[in-house]
């Protein structure tokens, strides 16, 4: 493929020979970008025997298009392992990775519960590896406190606020 864009639903991706057509269109050496919108709908547990049709299609895409980049996008925060099981390209499991295997990854997240999956999502988002509009803070308690700043702390705050103001102005000017 020289260039182009294709928008396809998960349901259509799973229908008949559609995945084969897509892989032929992209070409085995494609260095394109595959954006998986609403990726949580794929429901991909890390156990390959339990894959849904859409999760299997995403797995095949990732395995077949080794040079392509993948972006996982969701408007729903991670709730359980099935919403992050298809994140193969994030290299969370394998040799010299945080988890030895996909099964260890899944077991660890299940043991930690929803909060552990949310922490994973927040960490990936902070590293710009996961895009999500909303990350749940369900069950988290906050307390508002008023703290008195020393003169040095106020000067540091003022300097930081000035820097952010300059950055915002610079970025705005560059985008005009």
């Amino acid at each position: 493929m020289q260039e182009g864009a294709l928008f396809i639903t998960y349901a259509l991706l799973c229908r008949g020979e559609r995945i084969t057509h897509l892989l032929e269109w992209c070409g085995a050496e494609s260095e394109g970008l595959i954006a998986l919108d609403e990726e949580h709908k794929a429901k991909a547990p890390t156990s390959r025997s339990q894959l849904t049709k859409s999760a299997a299609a995403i797995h095949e895409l990732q395995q077949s298009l080794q040079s392509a980049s993948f972006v996982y996008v969701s408007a729903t925060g991670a709730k359980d392992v099935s919403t992050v099981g298809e994140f193969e390209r994030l290299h969370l499991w394998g040799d010299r990775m945080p988890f030895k295997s996909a099964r260890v990854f899944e077991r660890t997240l299940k043991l930690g519960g929803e909060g552990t999956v949310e922490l994973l999502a927040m960490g990936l988002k902070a590293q710009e590896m996961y895009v999500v509009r909303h990350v749940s803070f369900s069950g988290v308690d906050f307390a508002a406190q008023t703290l008195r700043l020393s003169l040095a702390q106020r000067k540091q705050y003022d300097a930081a606020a000035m820097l952010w103001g300059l950055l915002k102005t610079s970025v705005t000017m560059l985008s005009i």
Side-chain angles (χ1 to χ4, degrees):
M1 170 183 72
Q2 294 298 316
E3 61 182 61
L6 174 68
F7 297 88
I8 188 169
T9 65
Y10 290 118
L12 188 57
L13 181 64
C14 301
R15 191 175 299 154
E17 297 293 315
R18 188 63 62 194
I19 189 78
T20 304
H21 297 150
L22 177 59
L23 292 171
E24 287 172 2
W25 183 68
C26 290
E29 300 302 315
S30 175
E31 294 180 354
L33 173 68
I34 310 293
L36 300 170
D37 191 22
E38 299 296 330
E39 54 75 31
H40 63 278
K41 290 184 178 181
K43 300 259 187 228
T46 54
S47 170
R48 296 288 167 233
S49 63
Q50 301 172 359
L51 290 179
T52 62
K53 287 181 181 179
S54 55
I58 290 170
H59 176 70
E60 186 174 347
L61 274 175
Q62 292 178 117
Q63 292 301 307
S64 300
L65 302 175
Q66 291 293 315
S67 297
S69 297
F70 283 80
V71 175
Y72 307 102
V73 183
S74 177
T76 304
K79 295 274 185 231
D80 59 46
V81 176
S82 71
T83 63
V84 294
E86 72 279 2
F87 290 1
E88 294 176 34
R89 292 294 180 93
L90 297 181
H91 304 291
L92 296 170
W93 56 83
D95 293 336
R96 295 186 302 225
M97 297 299 149
F99 302 94
K100 184 176 182 175
S101 67
R103 283 224 162 103
V104 172
F105 171 78
E106 181 176 24
R107 216 178 4 223
T108 303
L109 291 182
K110 281 185 176 179
L111 279 172
E114 184 179 327
T116 304
V117 179
E118 289 284 352
L119 285 172
L120 173 67
M122 288 172 25
L124 293 173
K125 185 176 179 183
Q127 296 176 57
E128 298 179 356
M129 295 173 70
Y130 181 57
V131 178
V132 62
R133 180 176 37 164
H134 169 72
V135 175
S136 171
F137 289 97
S138 175
V140 175
D141 294 324
F142 293 93
Q145 294 183 348
T146 302
L147 303 174
R148 298 203 185 276
L149 300 179
S150 68
L151 181 59
Q153 289 171 322
R154 275 190 270 155
K155 285 182 179 181
Q156 185 176 18
Y157 177 87
D158 290 343
M162 186 183 308
L163 175 63
W164 281 111
L166 289 170
L167 287 171
K168 182 180 180 208
T169 301
S170 298
V171 168
T172 302
M173 291 173 65
L174 287 173
S175 63
I176 293 178

